[in-house]
Amino acid sequence: MKIQFFILAIVLAILVTDSLAEKTRKHKKYRRHRVSTTSTELNLDNELNDEPVRDMDVEIPEEPETEITDNNAFSADPCLKVHCGAGRICEIDEDDEPQCICIPDCPIEVDSRRKVCSNHNETWTSDCAIYQQRCWCSTGDKRCKGEEYRHIHIEYYGVCRDMPECTKEEMADFPRRMRDWLFNVMRDLADRRELTPHYLKMEREAETNLTRRWTNAAIWKWCDLDGQPHDRSVSRHELFPIRAPLMSLEHCIAPFLNACDTDDDHRITLKEWGSCLELDEDELEDKCDEITEE
Ligand SMILES: *[C@@H]1O[C@H](CO)[C@@H](O)[C@H](O)[C@H]1NC(C)=O
Ligand SMILES: *[C@@H]1O[C@H](CO)[C@@H](O)[C@H](O)[C@H]1NC(C)=O
């Protein structure tokens, strides 16, 4: 049955080369797009992950139609179906198999703003250089600078500097500033039409009803941070998108986020998030948008 299908597909391919080529091209475009999105997500996910990054993740086509298209596209780059972890790129080996290898050359960064500070308090030229180093260490490459670099990660963006201590007064004012900031970010995204209709509605409500102002922004951000896995709690890894970029601007962000995890189980529930932003617990309900899941 499968073979018949395959033969039929080949015959079809020869007969209607033009239309199929068109189709394949469209398909590839879609795939490339997906591959790149997934790898961005992965970068964030694996950021603080101490487990070694999985070597490769082969996307399994969902529909039979996809398979046929693939079988016909002999010349398609096998790497299109593979996405590699941070610091790795896909390469075709001598057996024509896609392989994730450590990125050989990071782009040369001249802009000092691209510098990043590692968890060892060492300034690196770019995030790429950190991921590359971690890859070298996990593959036993000679360029690994030592065992302690196996779990190297980005502590924050910018050069390493002496972080002033977050004083009691600053910390006391931080929840208010954080609420304000979250609302402004949400408003900004609404203006730029970058919110889903569900969150746009919540933003409108926050604009018109002052009691919903901070809570809706807090709920939205919490849902947004709870990316992969979508398990209704925000892990330390999932905090990366707000922690790393804000660190060099806001020395209170790290102690603030640590304090949010009141029961110290390395996860922040919506209740914990609300209470560290000093919001009324009764106003907080899990209203995450499910549409993005589909
Ligand atoms: C990290 O490095 C910076 C710059 O070299 C230094 O000023 C700072 O004191 C260091 N921080 C710690 C915690 O060692
Ligand atoms: C504003 O929000 C609060 C809390 O959710 C709600 O009880 C109240 O009815 C809302 N007010 C208006 C005018 O919608």
Side-chain angles (χ1 to χ4, degrees):
M1 186 61 193
K2 256 192 180 153
I3 293 171
Q4 274 173 325
F5 222 100
F6 186 55
I7 292 169
L8 182 75
I10 290 181
V11 172
L12 265 175
I14 295 162
L15 289 180
V16 281
T17 336
D18 271 359
S19 71
L20 209 67
E22 170 78 358
K23 214 172 149 197
T24 317
R25 209 167 59 224
K26 270 188 196 153
H27 217 94
K28 271 199 218 159
K29 232 184 231 165
Y30 166 72
R31 279 184 165 276
R32 194 169 294 140
H33 178 72
R34 265 202 64 164
V35 167
S36 67
T37 357
T38 343
S39 58
T40 327
E41 278 161 16
L42 248 189
N43 284 355
L44 296 178
D45 268 0
N46 288 327
E47 201 50 58
L48 301 179
N49 207 337
D50 276 351
E51 267 111 43
V53 182
R54 256 183 309 165
D55 262 341
M56 59 166 76
D57 219 334
V58 179
E59 241 181 67
I60 297 152
E62 292 125 33
E63 322 148 35
E65 199 217 345
T66 322
E67 247 167 55
I68 291 163
T69 316
D70 273 7
N71 283 345
N72 283 310
F74 291 110
S75 55
D77 183 352
C79 274
L80 285 177
K81 284 185 283 178
V82 174
H83 61 96
C84 302
R88 291 163 198 250
I89 54 162
C90 180
E91 200 183 63
I92 317 283
D93 67 9
E94 56 271 21
D95 302 324
D96 280 343
E97 292 295 326
Q99 201 80 43
C100 286
I101 57 155
C102 296
I103 188 165
D105 298 296
C106 284
I108 295 164
E109 291 294 347
V110 283
D111 190 341
S112 68
R113 284 172 303 184
R114 293 300 306 269
K115 290 195 164 111
V116 289
C117 185
S118 78
N119 52 322
H120 303 291
N121 197 35
E122 272 178 355
T123 303
W124 289 71
T125 49
S126 67
D127 47 359
C128 173
I130 283 195
Y131 298 131
Q132 181 190 49
Q133 176 65 212
R134 190 169 65 189
C135 183
W136 283 342
C137 292
S138 65
T139 54
D141 193 289
K142 285 197 299 289
R143 288 163 288 186
C144 170
K145 295 183 6 168
E147 185 61 23
E148 68 273 27
Y149 288 90
R150 272 185 76 97
H151 300 312
I152 188 171
H153 59 249
I154 297 169
E155 189 67 11
Y156 52 89
Y157 292 99
V159 296
C160 294
R161 58 192 194 88
D162 202 8
M163 284 286 165
E165 211 184 312
C166 178
T167 66
K168 265 210 171 77
E169 295 75 45
E170 286 174 315
M171 193 60 176
D173 194 38
F174 202 75
R176 184 196 59 80
R177 293 183 48 216
M178 188 79 183
R179 291 197 298 266
D180 230 21
W181 180 74
L182 291 179
F183 173 70
N184 284 317
V185 174
M186 194 186 192
R187 175 186 264 172
D188 212 50
L189 291 178
D191 287 348
R192 282 163 24 197
R193 296 167 197 281
E194 284 172 25
L195 291 180
T196 65
H198 174 84
Y199 292 128
L200 194 61
K201 214 173 123 208
M202 278 167 69
E203 199 274 337
R204 293 268 154 75
E205 193 186 25
E207 293 282 359
T208 53
N209 188 341
L210 283 184
T211 58
R212 303 291 326 166
R213 171 163 276 202
W214 318 123
T215 36
N216 279 7
I219 294 165
W220 158 72
K221 195 44 165 187
W222 181 82
C223 298
D224 183 46
L225 289 171
D226 179 25
Q228 300 296 330
H230 193 55
D231 57 1
R232 293 295 194 268
S233 77
V234 174
S235 66
R236 283 182 186 221
H237 306 167
E238 288 171 334
L239 281 175
F240 182 80
I242 57 170
R243 195 175 184 275
L246 286 180
M247 271 281 268
S248 52
L249 307 170
E250 290 286 357
H251 56 281
C252 286
I253 188 96
F256 170 79
L257 293 174
N258 287 340
C260 286
D261 181 19
T262 24
D263 61 2
D264 211 23
D265 67 347
H266 290 210
R267 322 199 65 84
I268 298 172
T269 61
L270 183 59
K271 204 175 148 202
E272 285 176 323
W273 182 240
S275 78
C276 78
L277 286 166
E278 295 172 355
L279 294 167
D280 190 349
E281 198 188 305
D282 300 335
E283 297 288 336
L284 284 171
E285 31 175 334
D286 186 337
K287 288 194 291 191
C288 295
D289 192 356
E290 303 295 342
I291 299 163
T292 48
E293 291 290 284
E294 282 157 28

PDB file of all heavy atoms in Angstrom, residues 3-31:
ATOM      1  N   ILE A   3       4.031   1.345  -0.739  1.00  0.00           N
ATOM      2  CA  ILE A   3       4.867   1.362  -1.941  1.00  0.00           C
ATOM      3  C   ILE A   3       4.076   1.911  -3.118  1.00  0.00           C
ATOM      4  O   ILE A   3       4.562   2.743  -3.879  1.00  0.00           O
ATOM      5  CB  ILE A   3       5.409  -0.058  -2.239  1.00  0.00           C
ATOM      6  CG1 ILE A   3       6.379  -0.455  -1.122  1.00  0.00           C
ATOM      7  CG2 ILE A   3       6.090  -0.124  -3.600  1.00  0.00           C
ATOM      8  CD1 ILE A   3       6.824  -1.894  -1.155  1.00  0.00           C
ATOM      9  N   GLN A   4       2.818   1.445  -3.204  1.00  0.00           N
ATOM     10  CA  GLN A   4       1.953   1.950  -4.276  1.00  0.00           C
ATOM     11  C   GLN A   4       1.832   3.469  -4.195  1.00  0.00           C
ATOM     12  O   GLN A   4       1.942   4.164  -5.192  1.00  0.00           O
ATOM     13  CB  GLN A   4       0.553   1.329  -4.158  1.00  0.00           C
ATOM     14  CG  GLN A   4       0.452  -0.005  -4.842  1.00  0.00           C
ATOM     15  CD  GLN A   4      -0.888  -0.648  -4.561  1.00  0.00           C
ATOM     16  OE1 GLN A   4      -1.442  -0.510  -3.475  1.00  0.00           O
ATOM     17  NE2 GLN A   4      -1.416  -1.341  -5.548  1.00  0.00           N
ATOM     18  N   PHE A   5       1.646   3.855  -3.005  1.00  0.00           N
ATOM     19  CA  PHE A   5       1.510   5.297  -2.752  1.00  0.00           C
ATOM     20  C   PHE A   5       2.741   6.042  -3.224  1.00  0.00           C
ATOM     21  O   PHE A   5       2.686   7.066  -3.886  1.00  0.00           O
ATOM     22  CB  PHE A   5       1.352   5.510  -1.236  1.00  0.00           C
ATOM     23  CG  PHE A   5       0.324   6.518  -0.895  1.00  0.00           C
ATOM     24  CD1 PHE A   5      -0.949   6.124  -0.498  1.00  0.00           C
ATOM     25  CD2 PHE A   5       0.609   7.884  -0.978  1.00  0.00           C
ATOM     26  CE1 PHE A   5      -1.907   7.059  -0.183  1.00  0.00           C
ATOM     27  CE2 PHE A   5      -0.346   8.815  -0.661  1.00  0.00           C
ATOM     28  CZ  PHE A   5      -1.612   8.396  -0.262  1.00  0.00           C
ATOM     29  N   PHE A   6       3.867   5.435  -2.888  1.00  0.00           N
ATOM     30  CA  PHE A   6       5.157   6.041  -3.207  1.00  0.00           C
ATOM     31  C   PHE A   6       5.345   6.135  -4.712  1.00  0.00           C
ATOM     32  O   PHE A   6       5.692   7.177  -5.259  1.00  0.00           O
ATOM     33  CB  PHE A   6       6.249   5.185  -2.555  1.00  0.00           C
ATOM     34  CG  PHE A   6       7.621   5.766  -2.687  1.00  0.00           C
ATOM     35  CD1 PHE A   6       7.888   7.066  -2.243  1.00  0.00           C
ATOM     36  CD2 PHE A   6       8.644   5.033  -3.252  1.00  0.00           C
ATOM     37  CE1 PHE A   6       9.146   7.596  -2.357  1.00  0.00           C
ATOM     38  CE2 PHE A   6       9.900   5.562  -3.359  1.00  0.00           C
ATOM     39  CZ  PHE A   6      10.163   6.851  -2.921  1.00  0.00           C
ATOM     40  N   ILE A   7       5.043   5.004  -5.383  1.00  0.00           N
ATOM     41  CA  ILE A   7       5.202   4.976  -6.846  1.00  0.00           C
ATOM     42  C   ILE A   7       4.269   6.001  -7.486  1.00  0.00           C
ATOM     43  O   ILE A   7       4.672   6.786  -8.334  1.00  0.00           O
ATOM     44  CB  ILE A   7       4.916   3.551  -7.395  1.00  0.00           C
ATOM     45  CG1 ILE A   7       6.030   2.613  -6.912  1.00  0.00           C
ATOM     46  CG2 ILE A   7       4.839   3.562  -8.921  1.00  0.00           C
ATOM     47  CD1 ILE A   7       5.749   1.148  -7.154  1.00  0.00           C
ATOM     48  N   LEU A   8       3.045   5.969  -7.005  1.00  0.00           N
ATOM     49  CA  LEU A   8       2.063   6.927  -7.506  1.00  0.00           C
ATOM     50  C   LEU A   8       2.582   8.348  -7.344  1.00  0.00           C
ATOM     51  O   LEU A   8       2.487   9.166  -8.268  1.00  0.00           O
ATOM     52  CB  LEU A   8       0.745   6.752  -6.737  1.00  0.00           C
ATOM     53  CG  LEU A   8      -0.406   7.662  -7.200  1.00  0.00           C
ATOM     54  CD1 LEU A   8      -0.983   7.169  -8.513  1.00  0.00           C
ATOM     55  CD2 LEU A   8      -1.491   7.725  -6.138  1.00  0.00           C
ATOM     56  N   ALA A   9       3.168   8.566  -6.202  1.00  0.00           N
ATOM     57  CA  ALA A   9       3.694   9.908  -5.917  1.00  0.00           C
ATOM     58  C   ALA A   9       4.802  10.269  -6.882  1.00  0.00           C
ATOM     59  O   ALA A   9       4.863  11.386  -7.392  1.00  0.00           O
ATOM     60  CB  ALA A   9       4.203   9.963  -4.483  1.00  0.00           C
ATOM     61  N   ILE A  10       5.687   9.309  -7.157  1.00  0.00           N
ATOM     62  CA  ILE A  10       6.792   9.586  -8.074  1.00  0.00           C
ATOM     63  C   ILE A  10       6.260   9.892  -9.471  1.00  0.00           C
ATOM     64  O   ILE A  10       6.684  10.850 -10.121  1.00  0.00           O
ATOM     65  CB  ILE A  10       7.782   8.392  -8.108  1.00  0.00           C
ATOM     66  CG1 ILE A  10       8.522   8.336  -6.761  1.00  0.00           C
ATOM     67  CG2 ILE A  10       8.759   8.514  -9.269  1.00  0.00           C
ATOM     68  CD1 ILE A  10       9.522   7.230  -6.671  1.00  0.00           C
ATOM     69  N   VAL A  11       5.308   9.039  -9.905  1.00  0.00           N
ATOM     70  CA  VAL A  11       4.703   9.261 -11.227  1.00  0.00           C
ATOM     71  C   VAL A  11       4.088  10.660 -11.286  1.00  0.00           C
ATOM     72  O   VAL A  11       4.318  11.422 -12.221  1.00  0.00           O
ATOM     73  CB  VAL A  11       3.634   8.186 -11.520  1.00  0.00           C
ATOM     74  CG1 VAL A  11       2.877   8.526 -12.800  1.00  0.00           C
ATOM     75  CG2 VAL A  11       4.295   6.817 -11.645  1.00  0.00           C
ATOM     76  N   LEU A  12       3.371  10.941 -10.248  1.00  0.00           N
ATOM     77  CA  LEU A  12       2.757  12.271 -10.149  1.00  0.00           C
ATOM     78  C   LEU A  12       3.814  13.366 -10.234  1.00  0.00           C
ATOM     79  O   LEU A  12       3.657  14.353 -10.941  1.00  0.00           O
ATOM     80  CB  LEU A  12       2.000  12.407  -8.829  1.00  0.00           C
ATOM     81  CG  LEU A  12       0.507  12.108  -8.887  1.00  0.00           C
ATOM     82  CD1 LEU A  12      -0.090  12.169  -7.491  1.00  0.00           C
ATOM     83  CD2 LEU A  12      -0.187  13.092  -9.815  1.00  0.00           C
ATOM     84  N   ALA A  13       4.886  13.098  -9.526  1.00  0.00           N
ATOM     85  CA  ALA A  13       5.951  14.095  -9.471  1.00  0.00           C
ATOM     86  C   ALA A  13       6.500  14.369 -10.855  1.00  0.00           C
ATOM     87  O   ALA A  13       6.749  15.516 -11.229  1.00  0.00           O
ATOM     88  CB  ALA A  13       7.068  13.601  -8.561  1.00  0.00           C
ATOM     89  N   ILE A  14       6.701  13.284 -11.627  1.00  0.00           N
ATOM     90  CA  ILE A  14       7.250  13.444 -12.968  1.00  0.00           C
ATOM     91  C   ILE A  14       6.243  14.162 -13.870  1.00  0.00           C
ATOM     92  O   ILE A  14       6.606  15.035 -14.655  1.00  0.00           O
ATOM     93  CB  ILE A  14       7.640  12.067 -13.560  1.00  0.00           C
ATOM     94  CG1 ILE A  14       8.778  11.474 -12.710  1.00  0.00           C
ATOM     95  CG2 ILE A  14       8.056  12.192 -15.017  1.00  0.00           C
ATOM     96  CD1 ILE A  14       8.973   9.987 -12.883  1.00  0.00           C
ATOM     97  N   LEU A  15       4.975  13.764 -13.721  1.00  0.00           N
ATOM     98  CA  LEU A  15       3.945  14.345 -14.578  1.00  0.00           C
ATOM     99  C   LEU A  15       3.723  15.821 -14.302  1.00  0.00           C
ATOM    100  O   LEU A  15       3.651  16.627 -15.220  1.00  0.00           O
ATOM    101  CB  LEU A  15       2.620  13.571 -14.437  1.00  0.00           C
ATOM    102  CG  LEU A  15       2.601  12.180 -15.054  1.00  0.00           C
ATOM    103  CD1 LEU A  15       1.245  11.529 -14.840  1.00  0.00           C
ATOM    104  CD2 LEU A  15       2.922  12.243 -16.553  1.00  0.00           C
ATOM    105  N   VAL A  16       3.577  16.135 -13.051  1.00  0.00           N
ATOM    106  CA  VAL A  16       3.229  17.521 -12.737  1.00  0.00           C
ATOM    107  C   VAL A  16       4.368  18.222 -12.003  1.00  0.00           C
ATOM    108  O   VAL A  16       4.192  18.793 -10.941  1.00  0.00           O
ATOM    109  CB  VAL A  16       1.912  17.624 -11.929  1.00  0.00           C
ATOM    110  CG1 VAL A  16       0.729  17.471 -12.840  1.00  0.00           C
ATOM    111  CG2 VAL A  16       1.870  16.583 -10.817  1.00  0.00           C
ATOM    112  N   THR A  17       5.532  18.130 -12.606  1.00  0.00           N
ATOM    113  CA  THR A  17       6.719  18.710 -11.986  1.00  0.00           C
ATOM    114  C   THR A  17       6.489  20.154 -11.571  1.00  0.00           C
ATOM    115  O   THR A  17       6.837  20.561 -10.466  1.00  0.00           O
ATOM    116  CB  THR A  17       7.921  18.700 -12.964  1.00  0.00           C
ATOM    117  OG1 THR A  17       7.701  17.678 -13.893  1.00  0.00           O
ATOM    118  CG2 THR A  17       9.214  18.516 -12.219  1.00  0.00           C
ATOM    119  N   ASP A  18       5.898  20.882 -12.485  1.00  0.00           N
ATOM    120  CA  ASP A  18       5.750  22.315 -12.238  1.00  0.00           C
ATOM    121  C   ASP A  18       4.963  22.614 -10.973  1.00  0.00           C
ATOM    122  O   ASP A  18       5.450  23.298 -10.084  1.00  0.00           O
ATOM    123  CB  ASP A  18       5.054  22.982 -13.431  1.00  0.00           C
ATOM    124  CG  ASP A  18       6.078  23.418 -14.451  1.00  0.00           C
ATOM    125  OD1 ASP A  18       7.287  23.212 -14.214  1.00  0.00           O
ATOM    126  OD2 ASP A  18       5.668  23.974 -15.476  1.00  0.00           O
ATOM    127  N   SER A  19       3.756  22.038 -10.928  1.00  0.00           N
ATOM    128  CA  SER A  19       2.900  22.365  -9.786  1.00  0.00           C
ATOM    129  C   SER A  19       3.498  21.833  -8.492  1.00  0.00           C
ATOM    130  O   SER A  19       3.421  22.467  -7.445  1.00  0.00           O
ATOM    131  CB  SER A  19       1.494  21.805  -9.986  1.00  0.00           C
ATOM    132  OG  SER A  19       1.526  20.406  -9.864  1.00  0.00           O
ATOM    133  N   LEU A  20       4.134  20.668  -8.609  1.00  0.00           N
ATOM    134  CA  LEU A  20       4.704  20.081  -7.403  1.00  0.00           C
ATOM    135  C   LEU A  20       5.897  20.888  -6.904  1.00  0.00           C
ATOM    136  O   LEU A  20       6.068  21.096  -5.707  1.00  0.00           O
ATOM    137  CB  LEU A  20       5.128  18.635  -7.681  1.00  0.00           C
ATOM    138  CG  LEU A  20       5.065  17.741  -6.439  1.00  0.00           C
ATOM    139  CD1 LEU A  20       3.641  17.555  -5.994  1.00  0.00           C
ATOM    140  CD2 LEU A  20       5.713  16.407  -6.710  1.00  0.00           C
ATOM    141  N   ALA A  21       6.676  21.322  -7.884  1.00  0.00           N
ATOM    142  CA  ALA A  21       7.842  22.129  -7.493  1.00  0.00           C
ATOM    143  C   ALA A  21       7.387  23.368  -6.746  1.00  0.00           C
ATOM    144  O   ALA A  21       7.942  23.726  -5.710  1.00  0.00           O
ATOM    145  CB  ALA A  21       8.629  22.539  -8.744  1.00  0.00           C
ATOM    146  N   GLU A  22       6.324  23.909  -7.275  1.00  0.00           N
ATOM    147  CA  GLU A  22       5.741  25.089  -6.626  1.00  0.00           C
ATOM    148  C   GLU A  22       5.342  24.770  -5.191  1.00  0.00           C
ATOM    149  O   GLU A  22       5.666  25.480  -4.252  1.00  0.00           O
ATOM    150  CB  GLU A  22       4.525  25.519  -7.455  1.00  0.00           C
ATOM    151  CG  GLU A  22       3.649  26.565  -6.832  1.00  0.00           C
ATOM    152  CD  GLU A  22       4.252  27.954  -6.970  1.00  0.00           C
ATOM    153  OE1 GLU A  22       5.367  28.081  -7.518  1.00  0.00           O
ATOM    154  OE2 GLU A  22       3.591  28.880  -6.520  1.00  0.00           O
ATOM    155  N   LYS A  23       4.672  23.612  -5.071  1.00  0.00           N
ATOM    156  CA  LYS A  23       4.169  23.189  -3.771  1.00  0.00           C
ATOM    157  C   LYS A  23       5.331  22.974  -2.797  1.00  0.00           C
ATOM    158  O   LYS A  23       5.298  23.417  -1.653  1.00  0.00           O
ATOM    159  CB  LYS A  23       3.400  21.886  -3.947  1.00  0.00           C
ATOM    160  CG  LYS A  23       2.230  21.775  -2.995  1.00  0.00           C
ATOM    161  CD  LYS A  23       1.412  20.567  -3.371  1.00  0.00           C
ATOM    162  CE  LYS A  23       0.766  19.973  -2.149  1.00  0.00           C
ATOM    163  NZ  LYS A  23       0.326  18.620  -2.400  1.00  0.00           N
ATOM    164  N   THR A  24       6.345  22.267  -3.302  1.00  0.00           N
ATOM    165  CA  THR A  24       7.492  21.969  -2.455  1.00  0.00           C
ATOM    166  C   THR A  24       8.143  23.251  -1.975  1.00  0.00           C
ATOM    167  O   THR A  24       8.529  23.370  -0.831  1.00  0.00           O
ATOM    168  CB  THR A  24       8.536  21.139  -3.241  1.00  0.00           C
ATOM    169  OG1 THR A  24       7.850  20.154  -3.976  1.00  0.00           O
ATOM    170  CG2 THR A  24       9.526  20.496  -2.299  1.00  0.00           C
ATOM    171  N   ARG A  25       8.216  24.193  -2.910  1.00  0.00           N
ATOM    172  CA  ARG A  25       8.870  25.433  -2.537  1.00  0.00           C
ATOM    173  C   ARG A  25       8.104  26.113  -1.395  1.00  0.00           C
ATOM    174  O   ARG A  25       8.684  26.563  -0.431  1.00  0.00           O
ATOM    175  CB  ARG A  25       8.936  26.356  -3.751  1.00  0.00           C
ATOM    176  CG  ARG A  25      10.141  27.285  -3.663  1.00  0.00           C
ATOM    177  CD  ARG A  25      10.401  27.984  -4.966  1.00  0.00           C
ATOM    178  NE  ARG A  25       9.284  28.776  -5.393  1.00  0.00           N
ATOM    179  CZ  ARG A  25       8.820  28.814  -6.642  1.00  0.00           C
ATOM    180  NH1 ARG A  25       9.395  28.094  -7.571  1.00  0.00           N
ATOM    181  NH2 ARG A  25       7.814  29.562  -6.960  1.00  0.00           N
ATOM    182  N   LYS A  26       6.772  26.100  -1.546  1.00  0.00           N
ATOM    183  CA  LYS A  26       5.947  26.696  -0.497  1.00  0.00           C
ATOM    184  C   LYS A  26       6.184  25.974   0.815  1.00  0.00           C
ATOM    185  O   LYS A  26       6.315  26.568   1.861  1.00  0.00           O
ATOM    186  CB  LYS A  26       4.462  26.577  -0.877  1.00  0.00           C
ATOM    187  CG  LYS A  26       3.981  27.756  -1.670  1.00  0.00           C
ATOM    188  CD  LYS A  26       2.486  27.677  -1.844  1.00  0.00           C
ATOM    189  CE  LYS A  26       2.014  28.603  -2.935  1.00  0.00           C
ATOM    190  NZ  LYS A  26       0.788  28.127  -3.541  1.00  0.00           N
ATOM    191  N   HIS A  27       6.243  24.650   0.694  1.00  0.00           N
ATOM    192  CA  HIS A  27       6.391  23.830   1.873  1.00  0.00           C
ATOM    193  C   HIS A  27       7.695  24.139   2.593  1.00  0.00           C
ATOM    194  O   HIS A  27       7.754  24.277   3.779  1.00  0.00           O
ATOM    195  CB  HIS A  27       6.374  22.372   1.453  1.00  0.00           C
ATOM    196  CG  HIS A  27       5.664  21.536   2.446  1.00  0.00           C
ATOM    197  ND1 HIS A  27       4.342  21.231   2.332  1.00  0.00           N
ATOM    198  CD2 HIS A  27       6.072  20.979   3.607  1.00  0.00           C
ATOM    199  CE1 HIS A  27       3.978  20.506   3.357  1.00  0.00           C
ATOM    200  NE2 HIS A  27       5.011  20.337   4.155  1.00  0.00           N
ATOM    201  N   LYS A  28       8.732  24.258   1.770  1.00  0.00           N
ATOM    202  CA  LYS A  28      10.054  24.526   2.349  1.00  0.00           C
ATOM    203  C   LYS A  28      10.061  25.846   3.080  1.00  0.00           C
ATOM    204  O   LYS A  28      10.615  25.969   4.148  1.00  0.00           O
ATOM    205  CB  LYS A  28      11.102  24.566   1.235  1.00  0.00           C
ATOM    206  CG  LYS A  28      11.702  23.210   0.936  1.00  0.00           C
ATOM    207  CD  LYS A  28      13.002  23.430   0.200  1.00  0.00           C
ATOM    208  CE  LYS A  28      13.195  22.390  -0.878  1.00  0.00           C
ATOM    209  NZ  LYS A  28      14.129  22.817  -1.890  1.00  0.00           N
ATOM    210  N   LYS A  29       9.407  26.795   2.475  1.00  0.00           N
ATOM    211  CA  LYS A  29       9.355  28.112   3.092  1.00  0.00           C
ATOM    212  C   LYS A  29       8.755  28.003   4.483  1.00  0.00           C
ATOM    213  O   LYS A  29       9.283  28.501   5.453  1.00  0.00           O
ATOM    214  CB  LYS A  29       8.477  29.028   2.227  1.00  0.00           C
ATOM    215  CG  LYS A  29       9.163  30.330   1.874  1.00  0.00           C
ATOM    216  CD  LYS A  29       8.212  31.190   1.109  1.00  0.00           C
ATOM    217  CE  LYS A  29       8.846  31.699  -0.158  1.00  0.00           C
ATOM    218  NZ  LYS A  29       7.869  32.232  -1.079  1.00  0.00           N
ATOM    219  N   TYR A  30       7.643  27.246   4.530  1.00  0.00           N
ATOM    220  CA  TYR A  30       6.936  27.079   5.778  1.00  0.00           C
ATOM    221  C   TYR A  30       7.853  26.397   6.805  1.00  0.00           C
ATOM    222  O   TYR A  30       7.972  26.817   7.932  1.00  0.00           O
ATOM    223  CB  TYR A  30       5.690  26.238   5.525  1.00  0.00           C
ATOM    224  CG  TYR A  30       5.049  25.730   6.766  1.00  0.00           C
ATOM    225  CD1 TYR A  30       4.365  26.598   7.606  1.00  0.00           C
ATOM    226  CD2 TYR A  30       5.135  24.385   7.125  1.00  0.00           C
ATOM    227  CE1 TYR A  30       3.769  26.137   8.747  1.00  0.00           C
ATOM    228  CE2 TYR A  30       4.547  23.918   8.274  1.00  0.00           C
ATOM    229  CZ  TYR A  30       3.853  24.789   9.080  1.00  0.00           C
ATOM    230  OH  TYR A  30       3.269  24.341  10.225  1.00  0.00           O
ATOM    231  N   ARG A  31       8.539  25.355   6.321  1.00  0.00           N
ATOM    232  CA  ARG A  31       9.404  24.612   7.226  1.00  0.00           C
ATOM    233  C   ARG A  31      10.513  25.492   7.762  1.00  0.00           C
ATOM    234  O   ARG A  31      10.788  25.491   8.941  1.00  0.00           O
ATOM    235  CB  ARG A  31      10.051  23.451   6.477  1.00  0.00           C
ATOM    236  CG  ARG A  31       9.134  22.320   6.389  1.00  0.00           C
ATOM    237  CD  ARG A  31       9.808  21.147   5.744  1.00  0.00           C
ATOM    238  NE  ARG A  31       9.001  19.994   6.010  1.00  0.00           N
ATOM    239  CZ  ARG A  31       9.077  19.294   7.102  1.00  0.00           C
ATOM    240  NH1 ARG A  31       9.959  19.606   8.012  1.00  0.00           N
ATOM    241  NH2 ARG A  31       8.290  18.284   7.308  1.00  0.00           N
TER     242      ARG A  31
END
